[in-house]
Amino acid sequence: MRTDLEFKSDGITCAAWLYRPASSSPSPCVVMAHGFSAVREQRLDAYAERFAQAGCVVLLFDYRHFGASAGEPRQLLSIRRQLQDWQAAIAAARALPGVDPARIAIFGSSFSGGHVQTLAARDQSIAAAIAQVPFCDGLRNLPALGIGHSLRLTMAGLWDVLRMILGRKPYYIGAVGNAGDLAAMVTPDAVAGFANMNPSGSTWRNEVAARVALTLGFYRPGRRPPR
């Protein structure tokens, strides 16, 4: 019941998987995307299958610059662009035949769990928002990184921005790493956690453009749910 689907976000093609339930009546639709640097095949497909079995259409997509979606440079994680991709995916879902446009749900895990909080606060027509182990407050996360690691990430981010200004390729850091590595996530379970959900042949790459480090502390989606 899974087919390939494409939609445009700011003129760039995003790749998605579309799951349809056995029922042919107008169905609710769950729009899904993954967390920090992650791609659709990293076990979100298992969730999508269960939603489809329960009678929902599912649109599961990769962000621009990641996975099967287009966008250059690769591995560029922009919060603003990812929120735009969500809005484009929701619009695409509402226009699908067999979908009830009044029953659109959004599902985000980890970093995208923060995105769905932001989107649900913006779009009052969203019927349901599911935020699984969500990223809630970048500012509160900073102390856990430690001053030394935070400074290293900041310097890497500034270097990446300078390279962008000069028209050079991004400077990449690891998405996950072990203690002491220059990576965004260095908790004890980070490397093993990604390895456990990464199937063979996955498009996931353990790197992101370092400039994202300059924005994470300002992203506080956990302040949106009261809206």
Side-chain angles (χ1 to χ4, degrees):
M1 302 299 293
R2 188 181 86 185
T3 57
D4 291 326
L5 177 74
E6 293 181 346
F7 62 90
K8 296 288 187 179
S9 179
D10 198 25
I12 298 175
T13 300
C14 289
W17 284 330
L18 182 67
Y19 297 76
R20 287 194 178 274
S23 171
S24 59
S25 60
S27 303
C29 181
V30 183
V31 180
M32 307 177 69
H34 223 317
F36 192 93
S37 82
V39 291
R40 57 187 178 177
E41 65 264 22
Q42 289 178 303
R43 303 308 295 140
L44 278 195
D45 50 346
Y47 286 85
E49 290 168 4
R50 301 305 189 274
F51 281 126
Q53 289 168 8
C56 297
V57 174
V58 181
L59 192 159
L60 168 56
F61 72 96
D62 279 337
Y63 298 109
R64 282 179 281 170
H65 309 286
F66 289 90
S69 291
E72 295 292 338
R74 303 305 293 169
Q75 305 300 114
L76 174 62
L77 200 164
S78 162
I79 295 170
R80 177 182 60 83
R81 293 186 188 191
Q82 290 195 347
L83 291 172
Q84 288 176 343
D85 294 348
W86 270 101
Q87 291 171 321
I90 292 168
R94 286 185 171 134
L96 287 171
V99 167
D100 181 350
R103 292 190 292 166
I104 301 294
I106 52 179
F107 177 105
S109 183
S110 191
F111 200 60
S112 64
H115 290 341
V116 299
Q117 294 176 76
T118 300
L119 291 155
R122 289 180 180 177
D123 186 349
Q124 297 299 307
S125 64
I126 294 293
I130 305 164
Q132 177 179 256
V133 290
F135 177 94
C136 289
D137 195 324
L139 185 61
R140 290 193 177 188
N141 286 353
L142 289 178
L145 292 175
I147 295 176
H149 191 67
S150 296
L151 287 174
R152 291 178 67 200
L153 290 176
T154 299
M155 294 303 296
L158 291 171
W159 175 237
D160 185 34
V161 169
L162 178 60
R163 291 175 64 88
M164 176 187 68
I165 293 171
L166 296 175
R168 300 177 65 182
K169 294 181 178 179
Y171 176 71
Y172 293 105
I173 60 174
V176 296
N178 296 306
D181 292 344
L182 184 56
M185 293 177 281
V186 291
T187 53
D189 60 346
V191 173
F194 268 75
N196 286 338
M197 68 180 186
N198 205 34
S200 60
S202 172
T203 59
W204 179 71
R205 291 162 50 181
N206 185 18
E207 59 183 11
V208 290
R211 68 197 72 169
V212 69
L214 303 179
T215 63
L216 292 176
F218 300 100
Y219 190 40
R220 311 184 72 186
R223 298 164 66 91
R224 300 296 186 104
R227 301 184 188 179

